[in-house]
């Protein structure tokens, strides 16, 4: 069992829908990252958070340290949001442990 | 200007060859990383350097040797390439060990 589990593995939505991707982890962490991997392969860091909630545009990330759980929300989804979303945790130091990713497809 | 740049973008080579992948960052970051993404798209840390010093060395074969001539560069040299080395290799950097990481575009290595 991975230290980081994401759900769902695959998600298909219609444009405009509200999307939630979940991440659960089994170790104590100092921070959690959400990354986006584009269809072309490039990886972009979306958020790094250790408590509470962060918002950037239509993206919202929340974390509950006690429950070892984080969610990434996308409001008013758009086909250009189609990508793989990856959760990664930092137990200590600088090493990141990655989830397997959630493939999101947003249809027009 | 690209913040974290890797070269080459694609690398096709025969088994047994030696190859290098270069990575440069112009962000002034202290920490750099190499990751391997396998065919299942799973990312795993390989190495991390902080100010030219090795701080993470995961269980990778000795055939992989990172080299950091200065803190803006972290190159990856691979000896005696094997079929299982085929993957996408990502370089990344961060301001320090605890900050958000910025990724290069990846190098797709195919070993034939």
């Amino acid at each position: 069992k991975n230290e980081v589990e994401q759900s769902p593995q695959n998600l298909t939505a219609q444009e405009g829908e509200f999307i939630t991707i979940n991440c659960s982890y089994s170790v104590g962490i100092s921070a959690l990252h959400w990354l986006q991997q584009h269809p072309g392969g490039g990886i972009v860091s979306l958020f790094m958070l250790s408590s509470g909630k962060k918002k950037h545009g239509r993206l919202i990330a929340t974390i509950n340290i006690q429950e070892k759980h984080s969610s990434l929300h996308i409001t008013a989804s758009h086909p250009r949001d189609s990508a793989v979303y990856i959760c990664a945790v930092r137990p200590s130091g600088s090493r990141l442990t990655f989830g397997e990713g959630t493939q999101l497809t947003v249809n027009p | 200007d690209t913040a974290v740049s890797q070269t080459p973008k694609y690398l096709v080579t025969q088994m047994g060859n030696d190859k290098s992948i270069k990575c440069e960052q112009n962000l002034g970051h202290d920490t750099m990383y190499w990751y391997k993404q396998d065919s299942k798209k799973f990312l795993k840390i390989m190495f991390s350097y902080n100010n030219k010093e090795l701080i993470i060395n995961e269980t990778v074969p000795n055939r992989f040797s990172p080299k950091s001539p200065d803190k803006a560069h972290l190159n990856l040299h691979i000896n005696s390439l094997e079929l299982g080395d085929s993957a996408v290799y990502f370089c990344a950097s961060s301001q320090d060990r605890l900050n958000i990481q910025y990724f290069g575009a990846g190098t797709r290595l195919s070993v034939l």
Side-chain angles (χ1 to χ4, degrees):
Chain A
K1 189 170 166 35
N2 287 341
E3 288 179 329
V4 183
E5 297 279 346
Q6 287 185 235
S7 64
Q9 279 191 309
N10 293 284
L11 180 56
T12 301
Q14 287 301 120
E15 185 172 356
E17 285 184 2
F18 180 83
I19 287 161
T20 296
I21 299 170
N22 296 300
C23 176
S24 296
Y25 52 92
S26 57
V27 295
I29 66 169
S30 56
L32 182 144
H33 296 242
W34 280 102
L35 309 167
Q36 179 193 53
Q37 186 164 26
H38 296 293
I43 297 175
V44 175
S45 291
L46 298 175
F47 296 103
M48 182 180 73
L49 63 166
S50 53
S51 65
K53 175 177 163 178
K54 286 191 176 180
K55 185 176 190 291
H56 186 257
R58 295 180 294 107
L59 301 177
I60 303 166
T62 63
I63 188 168
N64 185 319
I65 295 291
Q66 286 74 28
E67 294 186 4
K68 293 187 167 62
H69 181 268
S70 175
S71 293
L72 177 68
H73 305 286
I74 306 175
T75 60
S77 60
H78 190 276
R80 65 174 175 265
D81 297 327
S82 298
V84 176
Y85 292 84
I86 303 169
C87 172
V89 300
R90 192 173 71 227
S92 63
S94 56
R95 179 183 283 106
L96 288 181
T97 301
F98 294 84
E100 293 192 8
T102 294
Q103 173 69 63
L104 171 66
T105 303
V106 181
N107 293 318
Chain B
D1 278 346
T2 305
V4 181
S5 59
Q6 295 180 228
T7 53
K9 194 169 170 63
Y10 300 97
L11 185 51
V12 181
T13 188
Q14 300 283 338
M15 266 175 54
N17 283 350
D18 303 339
K19 290 292 177 187
S20 291
I21 307 171
K22 295 187 176 181
C23 179
E24 176 182 4
Q25 53 94 3
N26 62 5
L27 298 166
H29 288 170
D30 285 344
T31 310
M32 295 185 73
Y33 311 82
W34 275 110
Y35 292 95
K36 180 179 179 181
Q37 187 174 44
D38 60 26
S39 56
K40 294 184 180 178
K41 304 290 189 184
F42 196 56
L43 275 162
K44 286 190 76 172
I45 182 76
M46 298 175 70
F47 302 102
S48 176
Y49 271 69
N50 187 64
N51 273 322
K52 302 195 303 173
E53 291 199 16
L54 181 66
I55 56 170
I56 295 175
N57 185 352
E58 289 296 294
T59 310
V60 299
N62 290 338
R63 299 180 295 102
F64 290 78
S65 53
K67 283 187 173 52
S68 182
D70 55 61
K71 73 173 194 177
H73 295 84
L74 181 61
N75 303 322
L76 184 64
H77 189 76
I78 316 170
N79 289 327
S80 303
L81 278 155
E82 299 178 358
L83 293 176
D85 298 332
S86 296
V88 181
Y89 293 84
F90 285 95
C91 176
S93 74
S94 59
Q95 186 175 344
D96 55 42
R97 303 177 196 201
L98 305 179
N99 253 294
I100 201 163
Q101 296 182 18
Y102 294 82
F103 286 77
T107 296
R108 183 173 295 277
L109 172 64
S110 299
V111 182
L112 307 177

